[in-house]
Amino acid sequence: DILRAFGDLFRGELLTQRKALLGIIAIAVFAGIFRAVADVFDSHQIADMSYYSMFLLLFTMLVRTFSETAEVGTDAVLKLTDFMKALIPAYSLGIGLASGEAGAAAFSSIALFVIYLATEFIRGFLFPMIHIYVVLALINHMAGGEYLRQAAELLKTFIQFLSKTMIGIAVGVNFIQGMIAPVIDSARRGFVVKAFSAIPGIGGAADSVVEVAVSAAILVKNSVGIAGALILVLIAAVPAIKIAACFLMYKVTAALLGPIAHRNIAAGVSEVGEGALMLLKSVMTALLLFLITIAIIMVSSGH
């Protein structure tokens, strides 16, 4: 049922984007006609003005449709962070019962750090940079395809580098905390167990009770973590499918415009598709940050 619902969502998003992209194709065809007319006459001034007017209209439509796609990505990051904020208290309680207060405090601090990283960096910095990349790429192709190409490629490389760096920082912080906090809690629990074991008559029973209680707490804690991870995936799936549908439509439209429109127009539409792909990767980066946080804490506090 879930897969069928996702398939219906994908088809529905394709139908929703179809009208806007048909308008883009129509404008691109008219712009190509004006460009062809300009090559016939000696004076190209009027035809060139008409061509650039069409390109400017196309530019406006592409930026508007891309902004709507970016809003879907921003809303996805906010929903993921809202769920993580709701998950932290319940999961911290499970970690505290299974591992100890040091593990619970470590998870809370790590989760808050990752939430801050995802919301402030991705939504407030990465998404605006993707907007700038799309605008630069469109202006570059409007001007001929060479003037701003290096700047757009540099910005794209910088965005990809920042995404990978952000994941590396989150993994490193999680890994360090995951090595230190469980050792502290394990030492405390071992001291308590040995203290109870030294009591004559009930030492063995106390040791067994503590081990059973800790094992049950670990089971509950891991169940909460797995459930939280699955819900995060489901939350991210809907906007990811919408953005993927937009990416596909942009690329298909660029492929259709290749033989019938000017190459700069087809390249501009393709660059908007690249921007949609970067939005999709940013949403997946936020999801990956949260999943890595849950997974490392689940493994490190499960002994």
Side-chain angles (χ1 to χ4, degrees):
D1 291 340
I2 292 175
L3 293 177
R4 190 181 300 112
F6 286 161
D8 294 339
L9 177 65
F10 185 76
R11 287 191 296 270
E13 191 64 26
L14 291 178
L15 294 175
T16 302
Q17 295 292 329
R18 184 179 60 181
K19 284 187 177 181
L21 294 179
L22 286 176
I24 291 173
I25 292 175
I27 295 173
V29 171
F30 279 114
I33 293 174
F34 282 119
R35 194 69 178 184
V37 171
D39 295 334
V40 174
F41 299 98
D42 294 333
S43 178
H44 295 171
Q45 184 176 1
I46 297 177
D48 284 344
M49 288 178 61
S50 302
Y51 168 76
Y52 285 115
S53 298
M54 286 290 182
F55 205 121
L56 187 60
L57 179 59
L58 179 65
F59 180 96
T60 304
M61 289 189 65
L62 288 173
V63 171
R64 180 180 61 83
T65 55
F66 180 78
S67 298
E68 294 174 355
T69 305
E71 289 178 2
V72 175
T74 302
D75 186 61
V77 174
L78 290 177
K79 287 182 178 179
L80 288 172
T81 54
D82 287 342
F83 177 75
M84 279 296 291
K85 291 177 183 178
L87 180 67
I88 288 175
Y91 199 39
S92 297
L93 179 61
I95 294 173
L97 293 174
S99 179
E101 61 183 19
F107 169 74
S108 298
S109 60
I110 291 172
L112 291 173
F113 169 74
V114 174
I115 288 173
Y116 176 81
L117 194 66
T119 53
E120 298 300 324
F121 189 81
I122 295 178
R123 185 175 63 89
F125 185 72
L126 207 57
F127 280 1
M129 289 186 66
I130 296 174
H131 270 92
I132 295 172
Y133 165 78
V134 171
V135 172
L136 277 179
L138 288 174
I139 294 175
N140 175 56
H141 290 294
M142 186 176 179
E146 292 298 331
Y147 296 99
L148 298 174
R149 181 171 61 88
Q150 296 296 334
E153 290 180 356
L154 177 63
L155 185 58
K156 182 179 180 180
T157 303
F158 186 57
I159 291 171
Q160 294 172 348
F161 172 76
L162 288 179
S163 299
K164 295 177 181 179
T165 302
M166 185 169 52
I167 294 177
I169 292 174
V171 171
V173 173
N174 276 295
F175 186 72
I176 293 173
Q177 290 274 25
M179 287 191 301
I180 297 174
V183 174
I184 299 173
D185 290 324
S186 179
R188 291 177 179 174
R189 190 170 62 227
F191 176 77
V192 173
V193 170
K194 289 180 180 179
F196 275 106
S197 299
I199 300 176
I202 64 170
D207 192 2
S208 300
V209 169
V210 171
E211 291 300 326
V212 171
V214 171
S215 300
I218 291 174
L219 179 62
V220 173
K221 182 262 300 180
N222 287 349
S223 301
V224 174
I226 292 173
L230 290 175
I231 294 174
L232 284 171
V233 172
L234 292 176
I235 291 174
V238 174
I241 290 173
K242 291 183 177 181
I243 299 175
C246 294
F247 163 74
L248 179 63
M249 290 297 288
Y250 286 128
K251 286 298 185 179
V252 171
T253 302
L256 293 175
L257 290 177
I260 61 176
H262 193 271
R263 60 181 180 85
N264 287 333
I265 293 178
V269 176
S270 179
E271 290 292 349
V272 178
E274 288 296 322
L277 180 61
M278 286 191 282
L279 289 175
L280 179 61
K281 290 181 178 179
S282 299
V283 173
M284 292 296 102
T285 298
L287 174 64
L288 187 60
L289 289 175
F290 297 145
L291 292 179
I292 288 174
T293 301
I294 293 175
I296 292 180
I297 295 297
M298 187 186 303
V299 173
S300 62
S301 62
H303 300 291

